[in-house]
Amino acid sequence: MVKKIDHIGIAVKNLEETLNFYENILGLKSEGTEVVEEQKVKVAFLPIGDTEVELLESTEEDGPIAKYIAKNGEGVQHIAYRVDDIEKAIAEMKEKGIRMIDEKPRYGAGGARIAFCHPKSTFGVLIELCERD
Ligand code: ZN
């Protein structure tokens, strides 16, 4: 069902400071930032090989990333797997008894169509299914 690791999502307190580390120390290059209002985040994608690192900073105190950091601190927050057909992937997961946070695809940064699986069904990892053109 899944094709590759599309990206690794990392929750950060300060996107600018974090970008400084990823760009100037690790030598990656951001493709620019985007605010995803629905998820109350500002994100930056940094391609590496045939995958990407996604840095996520909360734009609101009650946003999911802010809540994640309050509970766990900064760090890896989710792993996104590429799928060809998000509706089909969601249906397949549900059919196999996996609990979905999103039962319908929602908008993801960069125009992706995404859906999260519940970590209680995926051995503790927040998995994002991600379809891109
Ligand atoms: Zn993501």
Side-chain angles (χ1 to χ4, degrees):
M1 183 201 300
V2 300
K3 303 296 173 192
K4 63 173 224 167
I5 293 177
D6 186 86
H7 63 268
I8 296 169
I10 299 173
V12 305
K13 285 181 188 163
N14 184 313
L15 190 57
E16 292 312 313
E17 277 177 23
T18 313
L19 273 174
N20 183 51
F21 170 75
Y22 278 87
E23 293 194 311
N24 299 326
I25 309 291
L26 296 183
L28 301 181
K29 186 91 189 82
S30 167
E31 293 185 316
T33 60
E34 177 183 350
V35 173
V36 181
E37 302 283 356
E38 190 200 335
Q39 290 167 57
K40 302 176 180 173
V41 285
K42 185 158 89 174
V43 307
F45 276 95
L46 300 102
I48 175 168
D50 77 337
T51 189
E52 294 183 275
V53 171
E54 175 186 38
L55 303 175
L56 305 118
E57 178 196 273
S58 190
T59 54
E60 309 276 341
E61 274 177 35
D62 66 342
I65 291 299
K67 285 180 188 162
Y68 179 87
I69 289 174
K71 196 174 165 196
N72 307 287
E74 294 179 292
V76 173
Q77 195 253 352
H78 66 272
I79 295 187
Y81 291 108
R82 177 81 62 87
V83 297
D84 285 335
D85 181 335
I86 189 90
E87 273 92 0
K88 199 174 149 204
I90 292 169
E92 216 174 307
M93 293 298 258
K94 287 170 68 180
E95 208 179 287
K96 291 175 178 169
I98 303 302
R99 192 168 142 201
M100 298 299 296
I101 293 173
D102 301 307
E103 306 224 329
K104 285 183 188 155
R106 58 164 131 151
Y107 176 84
R113 301 174 70 226
I114 66 169
F116 285 98
C117 307
H118 199 286
K120 285 216 162 94
S121 279
T122 56
F123 301 89
V125 177
L126 179 59
I127 289 178
E128 175 188 324
L129 303 173
C130 176
E131 177 195 309
R132 290 183 195 278
D133 293 332

